[in-house]
Amino acid sequence: MTSETDDTGVHHRLRFNVLGALEIRDRNEPVLINGAVRRRTLTVLLLEAGRVVPVPRLVEAAWDEDPPGSAAHQIRKAVAELRRRIPGGAAVIHTDGPGYRISVAPGQLDLLRYQDLLRAAQTAQENGEPDLAVTRLRSALELWRGPVLAGEGGRVVDAASTALEEQRLGAAERLYELAIEAGEAAAVIGELRALAAQYPLRETLRGRLMLALYHTGQQAAALDEFNRIRDLLDEDLGIAPSAELCELQAHILRQEPSLAPARRGAARAGTAPPAAVVPQALPFDVPDFSGRAVELERIHAVVEHTPPGTPTVIAVDGMGGGGKTALAVRAAHQLAHRYPDGQLFVDLRGFTPGQEPLSAFRAQGDLLAAAGICSEEIPGVPAGRHALWQSYMRGRRMLLVLDNADTAEQVRPLVPASPDSLTLITSRPRLTDLDGVEWLSLGALPEPDSHEILRHTLGGERLEREADAAAELLRLCGGLPLAVRIAAARLSNRPRWTVQHLVDRLRDHGRRLDELSSEDRGVAGALSLSYESMPRQDRRAFRLLGHHPGRYIDVEEAGALLGRGTTDAEDVLERLVDVRLLEAREPGAYAFHDLVRHFARRLAQGEPGPEDTDAVERLLDHYLARAENAGDTLFPGRTRYSGPNGGPPGTLPAFRTRDAALKWLDQHRDSLLAAVDMARGHGLLRHAGRLPRELGFHSSIRSYDLEANVALETGVGAAQTLADPALTRLNLTNLAMGQWRLGRIREAVARLEDALDISRSMDDARSTAECKARLGQAYNSLGELRHALKLSEEANRTARATGFARLDGSSLSTMSHVRARLGQFDEAVEAARQALVVFDSIGEIQLSVDALAYLSRALEGTGRHEEALGRADEAVERCEQLRMPSVLPVMLARRADVLLRMGRTASARESALHALAEAVRSTDDIHRATVHLSAARAHQAGGDFPAALRQNRLALDIASQMELRYEEAEALSGLAAACGASGDDDAAAAYRGAGDLLYSRMGVPESLYRPS
């Protein structure tokens, strides 16, 4: 053995430094260790020098979360490589039982020297040797170069680094206190200023700086420092300085003699009393804690405004994985300076996998032990232990965190009765039986805060490269901090994965919960703990509610699924709210968090039985009855289905108003769309065949035809499987009108021809007439005006003969539109007026909007412009009354056209631009060309010919693609006018010729498009 090696085999020539960037030196020459896994593994071994670190702990440190399956093997390879690279490494790193242990002498590791010096300083201070204490503290602080691994060590290393940083600040504060007492205030002012600037909200440091300035005759500067931190605390945290700092300011103001430094001689003359043990047992603060500014501000405000002499109790509740513990720990660290007698933390294990909740008796024992009470002094009977706990807390200003609580009974004996204490409680359910508590419920984390977690883990550059994918990832995580952290960790540990790759995996509904899990934690596991904590009947109810097809659920839907009345169903839903498996919205309305919905759906689909099928059928019966009821209220006089698949009559009360019916359909639209697929999946064809029709009607107001048409396709298939021609015809007709609104007119005609054949085969005159009326509407769009008029007139005759008022009005309305295009303005006026009479008689508003627009067009053609404007205004008003965003733009365009005829160009342009703006937000595709044509005419009249050209070209593109021949001709004529006004006569002639040809083929009188 050489002189450089002792009898343990440790090479004394080696030096390890972890208080900053990792450094290894051999005879003062650097030893290079590269690779994150090797560096983190060595750092953790050095942080735990002399102690065995199990391999799982090293895995956790090396990968944070979601390590690869080969992680343990990679740790062993990393250790082998470390032994090879470090001179004499085999004698330094030992295999010991379940892990590894590093052997170094205190002089070889800066951390050990640092800790030895701090202990020596404490001993010196307790022995009345302040000068020696100062020397030891300075030597210790000189070893500090920065955060462990320079802040790049991952969660485990960063947590240890945070604790060491807190220890360093505490040592610095002790050093400056001793220096000021020794009359050396001037020597430390510079250091204090630098440290206070680095930690501007740390009140103890600021207090030391104030004292140092005061002792050097700078009273004004000392008071300025108080004002500075007061303003910072107010601006950043919304709180005031602590009572201690305020008292110090008051003493400086009054120049209290008590501020004079104590005489060292007096201190040395006597024996210094032993320092009281101040427990500081808070867990590490999460380094990348993000968001929750509102909640933190609320906690600070409650603490700030609690009357003196009153204990403060704040309870934070929320769903599993919502970040309750992280919030409580962050708040506790921020408020710790207000509670100089110590801070305690206990995990009550209310929702810890594989463990029973901690009893109040055991929790009191753990807290007393953490406070430094010897085990022999802690009573073994509940009454004695409770008395000792309350006695210990009495008179102390302490902060207590009771984490992961289960019930109020568990928590109540732990809450101190002493004044001026703060208790922070976290729990999943709201512990409503606790008195005198300030409640704070955590919801989803806002997207910017979730994004900050991703950015901290993955880096800004990686997120900027995939900004859209990152936003989608956060949406799929639903603002749940646990989900976001797991997703971030997976991407961090799989650098070859793109964010989009993980998004694609998460989009698989069956795998989403599996993707958001790691070896020891996951979203599904967190939710399962809440689920298992409920009584059996509530677990059954939650599983049945998993069949609900949407995110939002009301008491009627829950009652249908559970087979209960609404009052009982509401009680069940409220209990689910209590355990944070459901979110309360407005009275009677609730919502699933998206990930909870996936969890509930997995449970529901796991072991389906007869009760599941019955529950689904009850819910679909409810949807069908409610949706048909709403449709009949909104669309009076429509054909009622009376075929063989009618099902049991509904018992629900009718909607009292149109607004109530429309609100119900608006709120349940997504659930109804999903219910169609659910019905088909369960083989409930009656519901799959009938529900889509209600969606088609609702879409005619709310303009979501792409989704509604998919449901209607399903409805057609279900009706055909049921061999129900009446239902097939209804779905085909509604599907055709959805296709018409999307501008797929040829497809609509084909569907309507099929529906017409079915109607004729059933020998159903009313159905036949309805198909003809819709065909007339489609052929009008295609420019086959004479054919459209013939079909509409046939439909109208049958409607009147059979008393079908709604069809009577709608066919008259189409007749008015066609006749106006053919120049038959007087007949068009009469038809539109008759249509309005019919619609008003049955209380139909939606179709009356079209009739008013057609009447306005016909009146304009007769030269009655004021009356035409009045009807256009009335159409806009009715459209807004029914909140029809899909039709409002074309009504505003109609108004603009009349104003233009009246010579009110500025007003016309304003209305046309309003129409364009509304069209961007929502409009049926079939109407877009009309809106652009109106804007083009307004620009033309105002002399803005380039804008007129742009709008006409947009209209022409749309009309040509959809085969809207009349609008196509109007666009060509508009282009001719704009080109002519711009001096391009050749283009004007070409456009005019093409437009005239179209008008002629449609049978439009030449006087309309070639006025004299």
Side-chain angles (χ1 to χ4, degrees):
M1 226 170 256
T2 70
S3 61
E4 295 175 323
T5 306
D6 67 12
D7 56 4
T8 65
V10 176
H11 286 251
H12 293 301
R13 69 192 185 192
L14 285 170
R15 296 291 183 268
F16 298 90
N17 296 323
V18 294
L19 298 179
L22 178 64
E23 289 182 353
I24 308 167
R25 293 186 175 275
D26 179 33
R27 292 192 181 96
N28 212 32
E29 291 294 322
V31 176
L32 180 64
I33 301 293
N34 53 21
V37 173
R38 287 191 286 270
R39 292 173 66 80
R40 290 185 180 187
T41 299
L42 178 58
T43 299
V44 172
L45 290 172
L46 290 169
L47 289 171
E48 299 285 345
R51 294 188 290 270
V52 176
V53 182
V55 170
R57 179 65 172 169
L58 293 172
V59 168
E60 183 183 10
W63 282 277
D64 282 344
E65 285 122 8
D66 200 21
S70 61
H73 176 65
Q74 291 190 47
I75 290 294
R76 294 185 180 95
K77 285 181 61 178
V79 170
E81 183 66 12
L82 288 171
R83 285 170 171 164
R84 187 183 70 81
R85 293 196 177 205
I86 298 172
V92 177
I93 303 176
H94 307 276
T95 301
D96 194 339
Y100 299 95
R101 172 176 51 83
I102 199 164
S103 295
V104 289
Q108 291 182 282
L109 177 61
D110 61 353
L111 175 60
L112 295 181
R113 296 197 302 278
Y114 172 79
Q115 292 172 336
D116 283 349
L117 287 166
L118 291 182
R119 282 192 291 269
Q122 179 69 27
T123 301
Q125 188 174 356
E126 291 172 358
N127 292 337
E129 300 175 278
D131 294 336
L132 180 59
V134 167
T135 301
R136 297 287 185 261
L137 286 170
R138 281 213 175 274
S139 298
L141 293 171
E142 286 170 358
L143 294 171
W144 184 269
R145 295 173 295 114
V148 178
L149 273 182
E152 298 179 354
R155 182 171 57 83
V156 172
V157 173
D158 286 348
S161 180
T162 301
L164 290 171
E165 173 73 2
E166 182 64 32
Q167 190 181 54
R168 176 181 80 101
L169 290 173
E173 288 164 353
R174 285 165 54 201
L175 169 65
Y176 300 135
E177 179 183 21
L178 290 171
I180 293 168
E181 288 178 357
E184 300 169 2
V188 298
I189 286 177
E191 297 173 34
L192 273 168
R193 283 195 187 279
L195 206 55
Q198 189 178 356
Y199 300 93
L201 300 180
R202 194 170 179 96
E203 293 187 58
T204 308
L205 270 178
R206 191 75 61 163
R208 299 287 189 271
L209 177 56
M210 290 167 61
L211 265 179
L213 290 167
Y214 178 74
H215 286 170
T216 56
Q218 302 179 66
Q219 181 187 24
L223 295 174
D224 283 344
E225 288 298 328
F226 176 84
N227 294 336
R228 186 172 292 113
I229 192 170
R230 180 192 60 197
D231 294 341
L232 284 169
L233 290 169
D234 181 60
E235 291 170 8
D236 290 3
L237 303 176
I239 63 173
S242 64
E244 292 82 1
L245 200 61
C246 291
E247 185 179 7
L248 175 60
Q249 182 232 17
H251 287 173
I252 291 174
L253 273 172
R254 294 193 297 267
Q255 300 183 4
E256 291 279 352
S258 61
L259 291 181
R263 295 180 59 84
R264 283 282 170 85
R268 294 190 182 100
T271 302
V277 176
V278 177
Q280 296 178 338
L282 293 178
F284 299 129
D285 195 5
V286 178
D288 62 342
F289 182 92
S290 178
R292 301 299 188 197
V294 173
E295 291 84 354
L296 283 168
E297 183 178 347
R298 168 88 184 281
I299 292 172
H300 281 273
V302 170
V303 171
E304 182 67 27
H305 294 103
T306 299
T310 305
T312 306
V313 183
I314 302 173
V316 182
D317 59 79
M319 67 181 289
K324 302 179 294 295
T325 300
L327 173 67
V329 170
R330 170 56 59 96
H333 277 282
Q334 290 179 347
L335 294 166
H337 64 277
R338 290 177 171 269
Y339 300 93
D341 294 326
Q343 305 89 41
L344 294 172
F345 176 96
V346 64
D347 179 1
L348 297 175
R349 303 203 301 244
F351 296 87
T352 301
Q355 298 190 42
E356 292 294 320
L358 206 64
S359 68
F361 176 74
R362 285 193 58 191
Q364 287 170 341
D366 289 352
L367 288 167
L368 287 166
I373 306 298
C374 297
S375 58
E376 294 81 3
E377 298 177 20
I378 300 176
V381 294
R385 185 171 294 186
H386 179 75
L388 177 60
W389 166 244
Q390 293 294 344
S391 175
Y392 172 80
M393 293 295 293
R394 189 173 298 113
R396 284 183 166 89
R397 289 177 56 84
M398 294 192 68
L399 188 156
L400 174 65
V401 180
L402 305 177
D403 185 48
N404 196 11
D406 181 28
T407 64
E409 289 71 22
Q410 180 192 33
V411 169
R412 192 178 292 110
L414 305 177
V415 177
S418 59
D420 299 323
S421 61
L422 168 62
T423 305
L424 295 174
I425 304 168
T426 73
S427 64
R428 294 193 183 185
R430 173 164 284 193
L431 308 180
T432 53
D433 289 339
L434 287 178
D435 297 325
V437 174
E438 289 285 340
W439 300 104
L440 179 62
S441 293
L442 286 194
L445 197 63
E447 183 173 331
D449 298 335
S450 298
H451 189 276
E452 185 61 22
I453 294 176
L454 277 186
R455 189 200 63 75
H456 189 277
T457 305
L458 304 179
E461 183 179 346
R462 189 174 178 185
L463 293 188
E464 288 171 9
R465 287 199 306 267
E466 296 186 83
D468 293 341
E472 178 66 7
L473 175 63
L474 295 178
R475 187 193 67 79
L476 292 169
C477 290
L480 190 67
L482 175 61
V484 177
R485 290 186 180 280
I486 290 175
R490 297 199 71 188
L491 289 170
S492 177
N493 290 310
R494 289 170 172 78
R496 287 186 294 275
W497 277 20
T498 63
V499 179
Q500 185 62 51
H501 180 69
L502 181 56
V503 166
D504 293 339
R505 293 172 68 101
L506 289 173
R507 280 178 176 154
D508 183 344
H509 296 299
R511 288 189 49 82
R512 186 175 302 176
L513 292 174
D514 296 328
E515 294 291 335
L516 293 174
S517 63
S518 59
E519 187 172 306
D520 59 347
R521 64 175 182 166
V523 174
L527 297 176
S528 182
L529 290 170
S530 296
Y531 172 73
E532 294 295 340
S533 73
M534 297 189 296
R536 184 180 62 83
Q537 63 271 22
D538 286 350
R539 293 200 302 272
R540 171 188 172 274
F542 180 75
R543 190 177 63 78
L544 289 178
L545 293 175
H547 289 294
H548 187 275
R551 182 185 175 196
Y552 301 98
I553 183 171
D554 61 31
V555 292
E556 290 183 349
E557 295 168 282
L561 277 168
L562 302 177
R564 303 187 189 182
T566 54
T567 302
D568 288 345
E570 186 174 33
D571 290 341
V572 171
L573 296 175
E574 286 295 330
R575 289 198 293 274
L576 293 176
V577 170
D578 289 341
V579 296
R580 295 301 179 260
L581 287 175
L582 208 59
E583 302 168 11
R585 294 285 171 161
E586 57 192 56
Y590 302 82
F592 286 104
H593 185 282
D594 195 43
L595 295 175
V596 175
R597 183 160 62 97
H598 284 287
F599 177 72
R601 190 168 294 171
R602 176 183 287 187
L603 289 173
Q605 295 171 352
E607 298 178 6
E611 70 170 351
D612 295 87
T613 302
D614 292 344
V616 170
E617 188 163 10
R618 286 193 303 268
L619 177 63
L620 293 173
D621 282 340
H622 167 76
Y623 279 153
L624 190 54
R626 218 47 172 142
E628 288 187 339
N629 193 331
D632 291 341
T633 304
L634 281 171
F635 309 101
R638 67 176 185 163
T639 300
R640 292 298 304 272
Y641 171 76
S642 57
N645 294 290
T651 58
L652 293 170
F655 289 98
R656 294 183 180 180
T657 64
R658 283 190 181 86
D659 285 346
L662 184 57
K663 181 180 179 181
W664 189 91
L665 286 171
D666 288 344
Q667 290 176 335
H668 294 80
R669 182 185 92 178
D670 292 340
S671 294
L672 292 172
L673 286 166
V676 174
D677 290 333
M678 184 170 72
R680 180 180 59 181
H682 282 78
L684 299 171
L685 298 180
R686 175 170 63 88
H687 305 87
R690 290 178 60 190
L691 271 175
R693 185 191 182 213
E694 309 309 322
L695 291 163
F697 269 93
H698 183 230
S699 180
S700 70
I701 294 177
R702 288 294 186 252
S703 189
Y704 57 96
D705 291 301
L706 283 173
E707 297 93 335
N709 286 358
V710 172
L712 283 160
E713 294 276 11
T714 300
V716 170
Q720 289 172 337
T721 303
L722 290 167
D724 188 336
L727 187 56
T728 303
R729 200 280 304 175
L730 285 171
N731 283 329
L732 281 170
T733 305
N734 279 281
L735 175 58
M737 297 319 297
Q739 291 170 328
W740 174 81
R741 286 189 293 271
L742 291 173
R744 301 171 183 173
I745 304 171
R746 292 293 179 186
E747 295 177 38
V749 167
R751 297 291 191 176
L752 288 169
E753 293 288 1
D754 291 343
L756 181 61
D757 289 343
I758 293 172
S759 298
R760 285 170 173 162
S761 70
M762 294 189 302
D763 195 24
D764 186 337
R766 286 170 63 123
S767 295
T768 300
E770 196 166 9
C771 292
K772 287 183 177 181
R774 301 288 78 79
L775 278 167
Q777 189 174 341
Y779 281 118
N780 178 34
S781 297
L782 291 171
E784 299 183 31
L785 303 182
R786 298 292 179 184
H787 188 33
L789 184 59
K790 178 177 177 293
L791 288 167
S792 298
E793 289 174 337
E794 290 175 2
N796 184 254
R797 285 193 292 271
T798 304
R800 293 194 170 190
T802 58
F804 194 172
R806 184 180 180 85
L807 183 60
D808 181 13
S810 64
S811 56
L812 282 167
S813 198
T814 303
M815 288 162 60
S816 173
H817 195 200
V818 176
R819 288 190 183 281
R821 286 182 164 182
L822 291 170
Q824 301 169 13
F825 295 116
D826 290 333
E827 295 89 337
V829 168
E830 181 58 29
R833 281 183 170 156
Q834 289 182 31
L836 283 170
V837 170
V838 173
F839 291 144
D840 289 346
S841 71
I842 63 173
E844 168 58 51
I845 295 178
Q846 181 200 15
L847 297 180
S848 72
V849 173
D850 289 332
L852 283 165
Y854 300 150
L855 178 56
S856 172
R857 173 70 183 89
L859 288 166
E860 180 190 335
T862 64
R864 288 176 275 180
H865 296 151
E866 286 290 350
E867 191 176 351
L869 180 61
R871 290 306 195 178
D873 286 339
E874 190 176 349
V876 170
E877 289 172 9
R878 290 196 183 191
C879 192
E880 292 175 338
Q881 174 188 347
L882 198 58
R883 301 195 303 280
M884 296 168 62
S886 61
V887 183
L888 178 60
V890 79
M891 298 304 141
L892 291 166
R894 170 92 292 275
R895 184 174 182 274
D897 286 346
V898 182
L899 288 166
L900 209 57
R901 283 295 187 96
M902 299 170 72
R904 296 166 58 180
T905 305
S907 297
R909 184 174 182 276
E910 181 182 350
S911 187
L913 292 178
H914 186 187
L916 276 177
E918 291 292 336
V920 169
R921 286 193 285 270
S922 174
T923 189
D924 290 331
D925 289 352
I926 195 75
H927 296 312
R928 288 188 184 274
T930 299
V931 175
H932 288 297
L933 286 168
S934 178
R937 287 189 282 266
H939 286 307
Q940 181 80 16
D944 189 349
F945 305 128
L949 282 168
R950 285 195 302 272
Q951 293 298 324
N952 276 310
R953 283 177 180 138
L954 287 170
L956 181 61
D957 288 344
I958 295 169
S960 300
Q961 183 180 352
M962 295 182 184
E963 298 184 67
L964 301 171
R965 297 307 178 210
Y966 195 88
E967 286 85 351
E968 186 178 351
E970 287 185 301
L972 288 166
S973 295
L975 283 167
C979 287
S982 302
D984 191 348
D985 294 336
D986 291 341
Y991 284 131
R992 186 172 294 109
D996 288 355
L997 181 60
L998 274 179
Y999 279 129
S1000 175
R1001 287 176 177 173
M1002 289 185 288
V1004 177
E1006 187 175 344
S1007 59
L1008 290 184
Y1009 60 88
R1010 278 292 185 93
S1012 56

